[in-house]
Amino acid sequence: MPQPAPSTTSRMAVDGPYAWLRLTVSLLLGTIGTVGFWAFVVVMPPIQLEFGIDRSLASLPYTFNMICFAIGNVVIGRYADRIGVALPVAIAGTALGTGFIASSFTTSIWQFTLLHGLIGLGGSACFGPLLADISHWFERRRGIAVALVASGNYVSGVVWPSVIKLALEDAGWRMTFVGIGLFCILTILPLAMLMRPRPVISQSDEPAPGDGARRTGLKPIDLSPRTLQALLILAGLGCCVAMSMPQVHIVAYCMDLGFDIARGAEMLSLMLAAGIVSRLVSGLLADRIGGLPTLLIGSVLQCLSLLLYIPFNGLASLYMVSFIFGLSQGGIVPSYTIIVREYLPAREAGQRVGVVIMATIIGMALGGWMSGWIYDLTGSYRAAFLNGIAWNLGNMAIAFFILFRAHRSRSLVQTQGAAAS
């Protein structure tokens, strides 16, 4: 007798007990695997001192890390669509740990930079591919599930810097990197093995034969998959160019206003902590109203919070505005995964989510550089905030356009259904 499909058994069902176990494992993987985002931020001063380089050259490892992280989300997501997520995560986790260990033996900034590319590539498996994967295991609670997994990156930003800072005091950055590498390998490999069951992709989540616009089981929208994907890429780029202004430059902005580095670091931590809350609330909201309205709400709130940075520059007000900004922007990126699953074929979710995540990472990198360039030109961050607001308005326009087309398609389907009955 043939065995029932995983989605038909009580334990392995969508929204079932295993789905929640998989969610917990994915959150742990996201927290551990994105350590590369934060480790270099903490060790940059001793790296700069030891290699005798200036700040711009010392920033190259982080930039290369981000580039490889962006590319990895697409490449690994594509393989995860074909063979499942377990093996790609296991291989990437080994690469991540190896990158950290090998970095501890480097003797030049160029060696260190190249190995941070390996770290970025390895860490990418613990973000976009996991968001796409968990979306297959939940239906009623898909929004909050995706939001929880996406929060792993922010939890990592809260936990890892403190741990690394303590390790640096006792062991130095080289032994700290060895410890991080060993920890990643020893934890990610067994956690990846718990991800071996593959989701069953329902035929109702695929495009209807001969009609790319009509998708049984997917929400209707009168945009081709290629057009919708392109619009989501542009939206992801725009929202994250705007998002990067406070996240990348808040410490420097505080110093320009006469406050010390510690105050800026505290604001960044507050922003990330609020971002975790934002992702969870946005996930719950997406389960009720869908990914597109949630994206538009987050984009509008982010734009308003960016505006608040311009008139308010006192210490207390900056803490409050940073908290508001964190609450506003945290749920934007996970919304893209929900939109992909609501409107595009499920069997392509890993690759399509990876492409959008790549656009958001590029947006962060571009926005971080652009804000610094504008500051060099104007001697102030005011114009950089206005630039971020302009990109944010572009994101809002795209989100509104997609939502309008989706609403029009839904109304048309309802009208046709009423006429047929």
Side-chain angles (χ1 to χ4, degrees):
M1 177 181 295
Q3 293 295 317
S7 61
T8 63
T9 64
S10 59
R11 177 178 173 273
M12 303 294 286
V14 172
D15 291 303
Y18 174 73
W20 290 99
L21 172 63
R22 197 176 183 96
L23 171 59
T24 303
V25 172
S26 297
L27 177 58
L28 288 173
L29 285 168
T31 302
I32 297 168
T34 55
V35 57
F37 263 65
W38 317 105
F40 179 73
V41 175
V42 180
V43 303
M44 184 166 66
I47 291 293
Q48 182 180 356
L49 180 64
E50 181 170 332
F51 290 147
I53 54 179
D54 59 22
R55 182 59 57 89
S56 61
L57 193 57
S59 300
L60 281 179
Y62 183 80
T63 302
F64 197 52
N65 180 298
M66 293 279 283
I67 292 171
C68 292
F69 185 90
I71 296 172
N73 271 276
V74 180
V75 175
I76 296 175
R78 184 174 183 178
Y79 279 101
D81 285 335
R82 297 178 178 180
I83 64 175
V85 77
L87 183 58
V89 168
I91 295 173
T94 303
L96 174 68
T98 302
F100 270 106
I101 295 171
S103 293
S104 69
F105 295 98
T106 56
T107 57
S108 74
I109 189 62
W110 302 111
Q111 296 172 358
F112 192 80
T113 298
L114 288 174
L115 286 169
H116 264 66
L118 183 62
I119 290 172
L121 189 63
S124 66
C126 295
F127 194 64
L130 293 185
L131 298 185
D133 175 78
I134 202 64
S135 72
H136 295 301
W137 292 90
F138 287 86
E139 185 173 341
R140 295 190 307 272
R141 302 296 183 189
R142 181 178 291 160
I144 188 62
V146 170
L148 279 166
V149 175
S151 297
N153 181 35
Y154 280 0
V155 175
S156 179
V158 173
V159 173
W160 276 110
S162 298
V163 173
I164 294 171
K165 183 180 179 181
L166 291 174
L168 286 176
E169 295 174 357
D170 294 330
W173 75 266
R174 293 183 183 274
M175 287 305 300
T176 298
F177 268 38
V178 171
I180 293 173
L182 291 174
F183 181 81
C184 288
I185 294 173
L186 293 175
T187 54
I188 292 177
L189 287 180
L191 287 172
M193 293 302 100
L194 297 175
M195 308 282 281
R196 284 179 296 175
R198 296 185 61 183
V200 173
I201 306 299
S202 172
Q203 292 299 315
S204 66
D205 283 341
E206 298 302 308
D211 188 355
R214 180 171 59 85
R215 301 172 180 85
T216 308
L218 297 181
K219 292 184 177 181
I221 187 168
D222 59 343
L223 294 171
S224 69
R226 180 175 296 179
T227 301
L228 179 56
Q229 178 83 72
L231 290 172
L232 292 177
I233 289 171
L234 292 175
L237 186 69
C239 76
C240 287
V241 168
M243 191 184 299
S244 68
M245 173 53 228
Q247 286 195 359
V248 176
H249 289 271
I250 187 63
V251 176
Y253 182 54
C254 285
M255 293 182 67
D256 280 358
L257 295 174
F259 308 120
D260 59 27
I261 294 177
R263 302 290 80 78
E266 289 170 357
M267 289 178 199
L268 180 59
S269 296
L270 182 64
M271 196 184 295
L272 292 174
I276 296 173
V277 176
S278 174
R279 288 192 166 175
L280 299 182
V281 172
S282 296
L284 292 171
L285 187 62
D287 284 332
R288 291 181 174 271
I289 66 175
L292 277 173
T294 303
L295 172 63
L296 184 57
I297 291 171
S299 183
V300 171
L301 292 176
Q302 176 175 270
C303 191
L304 293 174
S305 62
L306 281 172
L307 280 168
L308 293 176
Y309 274 105
I310 296 176
F312 297 106
N313 55 16
L315 184 61
S317 59
L318 280 175
Y319 276 108
M320 181 58 66
V321 173
S322 296
F323 179 71
I324 293 172
F325 180 79
L327 288 177
S328 303
Q329 57 81 31
I332 295 177
V333 172
S335 297
Y336 294 118
T337 300
I338 305 301
I339 295 168
V340 168
R341 289 292 285 109
E342 287 176 337
Y343 294 97
L344 294 170
R347 58 184 168 79
E348 302 172 357
Q351 180 177 342
R352 291 189 179 275
V353 170
V355 169
V356 179
I357 294 299
M358 181 177 69
T360 65
I361 298 298
I362 292 173
M364 290 294 293
L366 175 62
W369 169 82
M370 190 180 295
S371 296
W373 177 69
I374 292 173
Y375 176 83
D376 289 337
L377 288 178
T378 64
S380 168
Y381 275 116
R382 177 178 292 271
F385 277 116
L386 293 174
N387 175 68
I389 291 167
W391 282 86
N392 203 138
L393 289 173
N395 170 268
M396 289 167 55
I398 293 171
F400 180 80
F401 174 75
I402 299 174
L403 183 61
F404 169 75
R405 297 294 289 264
H407 177 73
R408 189 173 69 175
S409 298
R410 185 168 63 251
S411 298
L412 180 60
V413 169
Q414 290 173 349
T415 301
Q416 291 174 342
S421 62

